[in-house]
Amino acid sequence: MTKNAISDHLKQIHQKIRQACLKAQRPEESVSLVAVSKFHPIDSVKEALEAGQRLFGENRVQEAAEKFPLLRKDWPDLRLHIIGGLQTNKALEACRLADVIETLDRPALSEALDKAAQKLGRLPDLLIQVNTGDEPQKSGIARDDADQFIEASMKHFGPSIKGLMAIPPVHEPSGPHFRLLAEMARRHGLETVSMGMSADFEAAIAEGATMVRVGSAIFGTRPVKEPHQV
Ligand SMILES: *Cc1c(COP(=O)(O)O)cnc(C)c1O
């Protein structure tokens, strides 16, 4: 990409977030932009940091570990979200690296995060991923089990549970999925609703997203084909 492209894209996204908030009669500060840098090189992340972006999302723990500890030295206020499905054997590393894990979705992972937190003496903030489309290939707690899992997780982790996250099915209108997730969060008194990507973040804001996860609209198309979902 040409020089300053990332900075320009960030400005455009912020402008669109501002407009979507205005339209929804919500304060602009009610929506945070998570810049999804998966598969993009560290220099692209630096460019975003230099443009003022501080909040980033990575899918894979391994990739996050290669990029972000280095960057934190120069940008101690950056925040990293793990947004990809998490294997239990990656829980320790994820707890070490992340400020937020957006993908708590099953009891076995709760246990693994517990153990990791005890070992490290720190636990990131947590979002519960809901598989609103009940897609077999996608991570996230099944829709029918979500209320119970959310309740149990809130009891278990207390205020570390901040909210919910979802990735609607690619080939369906996302509106109903956004509505369902926002309603579920409301029902449980949870404030954070992470939903909306490059193609639909404005619609997500209209439905109550407080975090949008935008990748390609900031960093360009991803350099390698993704091995899984989305
Ligand atoms: C890749 C990814 C995104 C960003 O997708 P874009 O369409 O590039 O904006 C958001 N959320 C998750 C969970 C992702 O894996």
Side-chain angles (χ1 to χ4, degrees), residues 1 16 18 33 52 92 107 112 168 189 193 203:
M1 280 198 298
K16 286 181 178 171
R18 203 171 299 128
L33 173 62
L92 184 68
V193 186

Side-chain angles (χ1 to χ4, degrees), residues 59-219:
N59 270 54
R60 294 184 301 179
V61 173
Q62 178 65 33
E63 187 178 347
E66 283 160 15
K67 283 147 87 173
F68 280 86
L70 285 167
L71 293 166
R72 277 195 206 272
K73 292 209 174 91
D74 288 328
W75 285 277
D77 59 338
L78 79 75
R79 287 180 59 82
L80 174 66
H81 291 205
I82 294 293
I83 61 171
L86 193 57
Q87 292 168 266
T88 49
N89 63 5
K90 299 279 164 62
L92 184 68
E93 187 67 357
C95 273
R96 214 196 305 269
L97 285 168
D99 299 289
V100 181
I101 293 172
E102 297 203 11
T103 49
L104 174 58
D105 65 352
R106 60 198 191 279
L109 186 55
S110 300
E111 275 172 41
L113 290 172
D114 242 358
K115 272 194 202 139
Q118 274 169 31
K119 205 161 176 175
L120 298 170
R122 89 183 285 269
L123 179 69
D125 285 340
L126 302 171
L127 305 185
I128 293 168
Q129 182 180 1
V130 182
N131 189 352
T132 59
D134 282 335
E135 296 172 280
Q137 84 286 8
K138 202 165 265 179
S139 42
I141 184 83
R143 199 159 68 177
D144 285 347
D145 301 334
D147 282 310
Q148 205 183 4
F149 183 65
I150 292 165
E151 259 173 49
S153 302
M154 289 176 76
K155 211 172 271 171
H156 190 117
F157 290 108
S160 293
I161 303 285
K162 301 292 183 196
L164 306 182
M165 177 271 213
I167 312 166
V170 183
H171 301 293
E172 281 180 37
S174 41
H177 295 273
F178 291 157
R179 231 162 288 148
L180 186 142
L181 193 73
E183 174 51 38
M184 203 175 263
R186 212 171 298 129
R187 200 155 63 228
H188 291 279
L190 292 167
E191 280 184 5
T192 303
V193 186
S194 172
M195 58 189 189
M197 312 196 294
S198 292
D200 54 14
F201 68 91
E202 290 150 293
I205 290 169
E207 299 294 349
T210 66
M211 262 176 203
V212 292
R213 308 177 309 266
V214 179
S216 43
I218 296 170
F219 294 106

